[in-house]
Amino acid sequence: GDAAICTQLGEAYASGVGVKRDTARAAEMFERACAMGAPDVCNTLGELYETTGSIEGGLARAEQMFERACNGGSSAGCLNLGLAFAAREDFTAAFTLYERSCSGGWAPGCHQVAVGLERGEGVGKDVGKAVGYYVLACDGEHVDGCFAAADLYVRGEALPRDVATAVQVYGKAVKIYSAGCEAGNDREG
């Protein structure tokens, strides 16, 4: 089989584009692609298990897929596995996975590292370091990172108050939204 073709077929069944929507069949196609060594598809399969109650295995199976994705090199899988640990309030394990996601270049993972640092969840509280990760997330076009960094610059919490930098970072968020609107997609997350 071909992982890319199985993935496309899974996406068609998941969305109902060109075929009748069938989440069980979508899961089957994603499972095939995942087994062929496509870690990002393992993550997609985990998200399908997580968001639909109609597929046998549910959240437990979702976590298995996120772990498989993360171990296979999917930064998004590491983030999702971290979020699963955070839901169980294991913030130390979650933070480690967020770092792994961020170091793989996944901007939402960098955002979660910043959240952990800002709140002191799973790591010592360090708002100054958090702003750097929020900016890194913003640079990766994660709008929430832009807003969080700008808010910290405005508040001047654990770093000098810098309204001019905040305005620049807010401006970047607006540019990201504008680009997404022009392209016809929501690039928020």
Side-chain angles (χ1 to χ4, degrees):
D2 183 312
I5 291 172
C6 290
T7 301
Q8 290 172 343
L9 190 54
E11 289 170 352
Y13 280 114
S15 64
V17 174
V19 294
K20 183 179 177 190
R21 188 169 192 269
D22 185 340
T23 54
R25 186 81 171 129
E28 181 184 329
M29 294 298 103
F30 290 145
E31 184 72 51
R32 284 185 188 180
C34 177
M36 289 180 214
D40 286 324
V41 180
C42 300
N43 180 64
T44 300
L45 179 58
E47 290 173 342
L48 190 64
Y49 278 113
E50 184 178 57
T51 58
T52 62
S54 62
I55 303 173
E56 189 176 325
L59 293 177
R61 187 72 173 133
E63 281 191 40
Q64 291 171 353
M65 291 296 98
F66 294 148
E67 183 172 12
R68 187 171 180 179
C70 182
N71 290 338
S74 169
S75 297
C78 293
L79 172 62
N80 283 329
L81 185 58
L83 292 170
F85 276 97
R88 292 195 303 269
E89 297 189 9
D90 185 346
F91 297 114
T92 302
F95 187 81
T96 299
L97 289 159
Y98 299 153
E99 285 183 311
R100 194 167 164 190
S101 176
C102 181
S103 67
W106 189 240
C110 299
H111 178 263
Q112 287 305 125
V113 169
V115 169
L117 287 164
E118 184 179 5
R119 295 179 182 167
E121 292 178 347
V123 66
K125 184 173 182 170
D126 188 339
V127 177
K129 198 172 178 182
V131 76
Y133 279 97
Y134 282 133
V135 168
L136 191 59
C138 181
D139 289 345
E141 299 192 352
H142 187 72
V143 174
D144 290 342
C146 301
F147 286 126
D151 289 345
L152 289 176
Y153 282 122
V154 167
R155 289 196 323 249
E157 184 181 326
L159 66 153
R161 188 168 194 262
D162 187 345
V163 174
T165 299
V167 168
Q168 288 176 340
V169 177
Y170 282 132
K172 181 162 186 163
V174 170
K175 285 180 185 175
I176 294 166
Y177 274 141
S178 294
C181 182
E182 292 298 318
N185 72 39
D186 178 3
R187 298 185 64 180
E188 181 179 335

